[in-house]
């Protein structure tokens, strides 16, 4: 599937993870508040934090169970939903309950659990499966991880990132 025509699918990670919703378009459960923008990491470790910078307006600091996963999307455009936290805090923040990748470097991304079967590699997202024509050796070592991929015109993985490491 060409990257230009690939649908943006954000997958459910696994049924054992109660934080993951059932919609194919996002990870997690939609909250009442949202922000669309580019993910950034600011500060130095161990005090760094994940923010989302919209095209206009102030950035929001993210907290909650998905803040680390979203931080792994630094530079990507995302939609994050959740609940605004106490306005008395020094900076505006959002407790993230779901996220959706809108684009990675302008390209649509597919997200799912990386799995191998007798026919090769696939991304599994809930009841949907996307076959991958080719997977690098480095990505293949991450079987079981929740990953995003951008596909090339042959359906192979052109770029990828790991959102959640595979279970030990």
């Amino acid at each position: 599937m060409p990257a230009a025509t690939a649908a943006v699918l954000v997958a459910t990670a696994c049924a054992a993870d109660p934080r993951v919703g059932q919609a194919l378009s996002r990870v997690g459960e939609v909250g009442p508040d949202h922000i669309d923008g580019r993910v950034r990491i600011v500060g130095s470790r161990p005090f760094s934090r994940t923010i989302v910078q919209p095209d206009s307006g102030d950035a929001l600091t993210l907290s909650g169970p998905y803040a680390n996963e979203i931080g792994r999307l630094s530079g990507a455009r995302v939609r994050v939903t959740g609940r605004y936290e106490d306005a008395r805090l020094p900076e505006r923040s959002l407790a993230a309950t779901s996220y959706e990748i809108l684009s990675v470097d302008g390209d649509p991304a597919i997200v799912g659990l990386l799995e191998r079967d007798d026919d090769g590699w696939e991304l599994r997202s809930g009841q949907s499966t996307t076959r991958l024509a080719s997977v690098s050796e480095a990505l293949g070592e991450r079987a079981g991880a929740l990953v995003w991929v951008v596909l090339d015109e042959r359906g192979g993985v052109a770029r990828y990132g790991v959102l959640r490491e595979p279970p030990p």
Side-chain angles (χ1 to χ4, degrees), residues 80-155:
V80 180
T81 71
R83 183 169 300 282
Y84 292 126
E85 295 189 303
D86 191 336
R88 295 172 292 184
L89 295 174
E91 58 187 28
R92 198 163 170 224
S93 62
L94 180 77
T97 59
S98 78
Y99 65 94
E100 180 176 353
I101 301 173
L102 302 176
S103 66
V104 175
D105 297 327
D107 293 321
I110 299 172
V111 176
L113 284 175
L114 180 66
E115 296 180 350
R116 183 176 180 94
D117 64 15
D118 293 338
D119 297 324
W121 291 98
E122 63 187 18
L123 284 183
R124 183 167 307 278
S125 54
Q127 302 302 316
S128 296
T129 300
T130 301
R131 281 269 166 223
L132 304 174
S134 62
V135 169
S136 70
E137 184 177 329
L139 179 56
E141 292 173 359
R142 298 291 178 68
L146 180 67
V147 300
W148 63 264
V149 300
V150 172
L151 300 178
D152 62 23
E153 56 278 347
R154 295 178 312 280

Side-chain angles (χ1 to χ4, degrees), residues 28-76:
E29 294 186 25
V30 177
D33 304 311
H34 80 278
I35 185 170
D36 292 359
R38 197 164 302 279
V39 177
R40 301 274 184 240
I41 303 296
V42 295
S44 301
R45 288 182 193 217
F47 304 108
S48 62
R49 61 193 192 284
T50 303
I51 66 168
V52 175
Q53 178 66 58
D55 292 334
S56 63
D58 294 331
L60 283 178
T61 298
L62 299 180
S63 64
Y66 291 114
N68 286 337
E69 285 179 26
I70 297 166
R72 290 179 172 206
L73 289 163
S74 185

